[in-house]
Amino acid sequence: MATVTAPVKKKTNRLGLELPAYRGGKTTLCAGCGHNAISERIIDACFAMGIEPDRVVKLSGIGCSSKSPAYFLGSSHGFNAVHGRMPSVGTGALLANHKLVAVGVSGDGDTGAIGIGQFVHLMRRNLPIIYIVEDNGCYGLTKGQFSPTADVGSTLKTGVVNDLPPIDTCALAVQLGATFVARSFSGDKKQLTAILKAALGHRGTAMIDVLSPCVTFNDHEGSTKSYAYVKSHDDPLEELDFVPFFEDISIDYEPGTMREVTLHDGSRLYLRKLDHMYDPTDKMQALRVLHETHGRGEFATGLIYVEPAADDFLTTLNLVDEPLASLPESRVRPPKAVLEEIMAGLG
Amino acid sequence: MAAYDVAVEERPSASSVDPVINDFSIQIATVNGSGSQTANLVLLRAIFQMGVPVSGKNLFPSNIAGLPTWFTIRANRKGYIARKKEIDVLVAMNPETAREDVLGLPAGAMVVYDEPLDLAALRGDLVFYPVPFDTLLGKVSRDVKLRRRVRNMLYDGVLSRLLGVDLDEMEAALRRQFGGKPRVVGINREALDVGFAFADEHLDKRDPYFIEPMNANQGRILVEGNAAAAIGCMMAGVTVVAWYPITPSSSLCETLIDYLRKYRVDAETGKATFAVVQAEDEIAALGMALGGGWAGARSMTATSGPGISLMGEFAGLGYYAEVPAVVFDVQRVGPSTGLPTRTAQGDVLTTAFLSHGDTRHPMLFPCSPEECYSMSIDAFNLAERFQTPVFVLSDLDLGMNTWMSPKFEYPAKPIDRGKVIDGETLEKIGRFGRYRDVDGDGIPYRSLPGSSAPAYFCRGSGHNEWGQYSERSDDYEKNVERLSRKFETARNWMPAPMVEINRRAGIGIIAYGTSHWAVVEGRDQLLDEADLQTSYYRLRAYPFRSGLASFIERHDRVYVVEQNRDAQMASLMRLELKAELAGRLRSVLHYAGVPIDARTITDDILIQEGYRAEYSVADGPIPHEAGVGGE
């Protein structure tokens, strides 16, 4: 039996900031939209981890999901880019300033359809960014068409049946080389918050697919992305407990009941055994589990795959310590002698 | 100097025709992938080193190996470096094209050819020099593999003897290319000597063409436009480069990478002051450049027409969300895949309005490597000053061919990062509104992510001056009208045109980019052949300066010379000019995929001006269309 020594609840975080400092504008999404719950969890996680809001950049593409960065971390910079192309904008921003904390929010259409190319290359680059797919299986902003994550046999409100197989963004991410892959449910406050905190402690691409029912267009009987369906088919791989690097908390557990993952920043994630002992560092097991749960019509949620020590993209570029964006002229314009040397070589 | 001396001695016995010194063009017809580029560049460089103005144009296929390639070298004592239409000296190495190449020559031309091709019977009005290349190759080396690579160097040896191009200058050019490999230099030099000796022993000089040393190239360099742009980008302080390979722009980024690795790595730490990413496509390349620009990097990408088409949506975002980036478009022939290895100025209209909605982009038009360099520096400053994507429209001819150029000047002005907000500015302007026109010039202030300045939400959707989402009509109108005002401000910041007013001229010529060099020569031809005086306005940027209208106003007719079918720049001008002035514009258009030449311009203007009824015979069909020419 494990015992968790819970920290005393504080009103301010380690930066001395209060929770409202992490809030954003008033949401314009539908009442009850899963995306709003995800925004709340992002606020919770950033507050709890003591992330400096002016180091955060919020990035998104186009769609309901991509509107949501306006509704959290209002004092952080944001960039609502073009449809499906947020990864490239995020890449450029991080090249300019590798000290930024990048939080990207996409949707299942933005990622799985128009943006699949950039998604694929983002995963293989292992850029240090949190990439959240707010996954509801449909296009909300254009009134409910199927997206590429809709399951075979799932129906639209109008009764139209989807007859194409879904893209599993998590399986794809694992296969492509992402170093942190998780799936959660907008209604699972504890799990999603733990995953987001862990993602903030990870260095590399953290791909999080969050099932987030569309209460307006995809919440009916016959849909496999409805609130009721997801809630009853959620199959957690493990129970997650997160301990940030700045808190001195120990968790005692009996061998064989828990697995411990130390993240890049020193934070620890404890994976408590449920039915089976799950090893999130085993890529083959991750793919098998995703395949099998999908076959049962269920969703495997939790931390699916993690590779805490892999080099991220910016590290491989061997950049100077200061952000490239703030280098003074003397560091970026070579002296006259260099131009003269080049000219002499061409003369 | 030995070779030159021999040639001079022999001149009296050469021919009854007057010698033609430093004023002819050489075309070398080979198969691509045969290593002819080395031989051609060695010949070009040797002539350059002899102080003779020279230019080289490579006409190559979109293919790795096995298709016809033509390399044209023009030597001209007056300094004309545009493509010359007529070929005076042909080196025929490609059996596939030899017949057509020979039939397309003007009378009196000379032909060096591979003996088994048996070309001499084709024409009676040319000077033929058969050379048994395979036999000669046997004398170079016993190493079959190695000697195959120097086969083309034999014709350089032959030309050295026939034309008087100094052998030692050729060797110097070789050493420059293969500096660290003395064995390679050695065997190439051997091939030169074998070719030279053969010509000396077996070929009687019967043509009039000679290269004689001059002193015209002091302080000059030889460089490709793409390399020049790369040097410019490095000196501009570029920090983020995202690109996707595409002909003819790839060498810009590849050369830039080489320079950055050499000169922009921190000496103490060994760490880079730049980031380069090969993106998954051109869309991502511009997305990365914009992400970088938004976060405060000096960022860029380089592409060609198909990439420009793909970048449309992001270009509109850059314009509307006001994000700096520099985009090089090394133009090739479109539409669609078009002729990927041929040159054109066909992206002017597409780029000016790239993306949907009311969108306009500043464009720069370099005409030379020197301007590829200086305008690269201008482009980064303008992009940050105006917080918008700036396009540099080069072309394949400029980007990939080797050009003579004055040495580049070190930038005189410091880097301009534009209106980036800091504590002091914030105090001055009061409340920060990302899109507020504080100074009345249409240019707002911006803050950078990661700094302590106030944040804003950057978006391509409708926004008000505070950067808030807005669908209100008044907010939209106010914002796009400010963008218009910003574009107006930009007019006077763009590189000024080069204007030459001739008070006796009734007609004017407007050109831009590489068309310039053919215009320079064409104007001299118009004067020499028809006593036709012209004024000249070399456009260097869009938006146009207000002086454009007054230039047109001074002349009865103004010819806009450009390398596309649809008179794109003239059309862009007509959008802004009063009807009366727009009516004075005429066009000289060249869209054959090869660089524009002076003869095309001269003849076209003479016809349009009524000096001549139709094209002259000298025009002839261009080589690949020739079937019965030359008689």
Side-chain angles (χ1 to χ4, degrees), chain A residues 42 104 172 214 272 322:
Chain A
I42 294 170
L172 197 54
C214 173
R272 198 192 312 244
E322 310 89 320

Side-chain angles (χ1 to χ4, degrees), chain B residues 31 74 116 141 181 195 247 254 275 303 477 483 509 525 539 608:
Chain B
V31 173
R74 179 181 190 184
S141 163
K181 301 173 185 163
T247 305
E254 286 168 332
T303 189
E477 285 172 348
L483 282 165
I509 296 177
Q525 288 176 346
L539 197 79
Q608 293 196 51

Side-chain angles (χ1 to χ4, degrees), chain A residues 78 80 125 333-334 341 345 347, chain B residues 176 235 263 272 280 410 415 458:
Chain A
N80 185 192
R125 286 196 184 101
R333 172 172 284 172
E341 183 182 311
Chain B
R176 177 177 280 276
M235 301 310 288
Y263 298 115
E280 53 269 36
Y410 193 71
I415 285 170
C458 184

Side-chain angles (χ1 to χ4, degrees), chain B residues 1 75 149 177 186 228 260 271 289 315 332 356 410 418 428 443 566 609 614 619:
Chain B
M1 296 312 248
R149 289 196 217 151
Q177 188 155 350
L260 290 173
K271 291 182 173 178
R332 66 189 214 186
H356 52 276
Y410 193 71
K428 201 177 73 192
I443 312 170
D566 290 347
E609 286 290 307
E614 56 191 45
D619 255 13

Side-chain angles (χ1 to χ4, degrees), chain B residues 616-630:
Chain B
S616 71
V617 182
D619 255 13
I622 57 171
H624 63 273
E625 288 171 345
V628 291

Side-chain angles (χ1 to χ4, degrees), chain A:
Chain A
M1 185 71 188
T3 45
V4 179
T5 319
V8 184
K9 212 165 188 184
K10 289 183 230 163
K11 279 192 176 164
T12 58
N13 65 10
R14 66 189 176 108
L15 300 178
L17 295 174
E18 293 180 10
L19 187 74
Y22 292 85
R23 293 221 168 98
K26 189 175 175 295
T27 179
T28 59
L29 298 172
C30 307
C33 176
H35 300 358
N36 288 332
I38 301 170
S39 295
E40 288 298 319
R41 300 295 81 74
I42 294 170
I43 291 166
D44 290 345
C46 289
F47 168 74
M49 290 295 283
I51 303 291
E52 297 148 78
D54 57 11
R55 273 185 62 213
V56 176
V57 284
K58 306 171 292 179
L59 302 143
S60 62
I62 294 294
C64 291
S65 61
S66 297
K67 284 173 164 246
S68 69
Y71 317 137
F72 60 84
L73 270 68
S75 58
S76 300
H77 277 267
F79 199 145
N80 185 192
V82 292
H83 202 7
R85 324 288 182 195
M86 171 261 279
S88 60
V89 174
T91 304
L94 285 166
L95 296 175
N97 187 343
H98 62 270
K99 294 189 190 294
L100 296 173
V101 176
V103 180
V105 179
S106 180
D108 38 296
D110 194 63
T111 288
I114 191 167
I116 194 77
Q118 296 214 346
F119 173 77
V120 163
H121 291 275
L122 179 72
M123 295 302 122
R124 61 185 277 266
R125 286 196 184 101
N126 196 29
L127 186 82
I129 183 173
I130 297 172
Y131 188 95
I132 300 166
V133 181
E134 299 187 340
D135 186 356
N136 56 20
C138 73
Y139 288 87
L141 213 49
T142 50
K143 303 204 186 296
Q145 300 84 354
F146 283 124
S147 88
T149 65
D151 287 308
V152 175
S154 191
T155 59
L156 287 184
K157 260 178 151 175
T158 53
V160 176
V161 180
N162 180 41
D163 50 13
L164 286 177
I167 290 174
D168 184 339
T169 51
C170 287
L172 197 54
V174 170
Q175 202 277 328
L176 290 166
T179 52
F180 184 111
V181 180
R183 173 165 280 145
S184 192
F185 170 39
S186 59
D188 188 340
K189 188 172 175 177
K190 179 172 184 288
Q191 185 195 51
L192 180 54
T193 310
I195 288 172
L196 287 167
K197 287 179 189 169
L200 286 164
H202 180 68
R203 183 83 190 165
T205 304
M207 194 333 254
I208 309 168
D209 183 70
V210 187
L211 297 158
S212 176
C214 173
V215 291
T216 304
F217 294 107
N218 207 7
D219 203 25
H220 47 273
E221 201 168 330
S223 162
T224 60
K225 293 280 197 293
S226 68
Y227 192 89
Y229 187 94
V230 174
K231 195 166 170 55
S232 59
H233 292 77
D234 184 355
D235 182 17
L237 295 167
E238 69 271 290
E239 201 178 315
L240 293 173
D241 287 306
F242 178 84
V243 178
F245 67 91
F246 50 83
E247 279 178 12
D248 187 20
I249 294 168
S250 60
I251 293 186
D252 299 323
Y253 56 89
E254 285 170 34
T257 63
M258 195 102 108
R259 193 179 286 276
E260 186 178 335
V261 176
T262 304
L263 297 157
H264 177 84
D265 71 350
S267 299
R268 283 159 294 153
L269 196 58
Y270 293 92
L271 284 61
R272 198 192 312 244
K273 177 183 162 183
L274 293 173
D275 297 348
H276 308 283
M277 196 68 182
Y278 182 75
D279 178 5
T281 63
D282 181 342
K283 204 174 243 191
M284 292 315 293
Q285 191 192 2
L287 290 170
R288 192 176 331 99
V289 161
L290 287 170
H291 184 72
E292 285 169 0
T293 43
H294 180 257
R296 295 197 300 270
E298 295 180 335
F299 305 100
T301 60
L303 182 64
I304 293 166
Y305 181 70
V306 69
E307 207 179 322
D311 269 350
D312 71 285
F313 186 60
L314 300 177
T315 306
T316 61
L317 291 173
N318 192 29
L319 305 175
V320 289
D321 298 338
E322 310 89 320
L324 295 180
S326 54
L327 292 176
E329 178 165 333
S330 59
R331 304 274 309 273
V332 296
R333 172 172 284 172
K336 200 171 180 182
V338 164
L339 185 65
E340 281 166 2
E341 183 182 311
I342 295 170
M343 290 301 106
L346 296 167

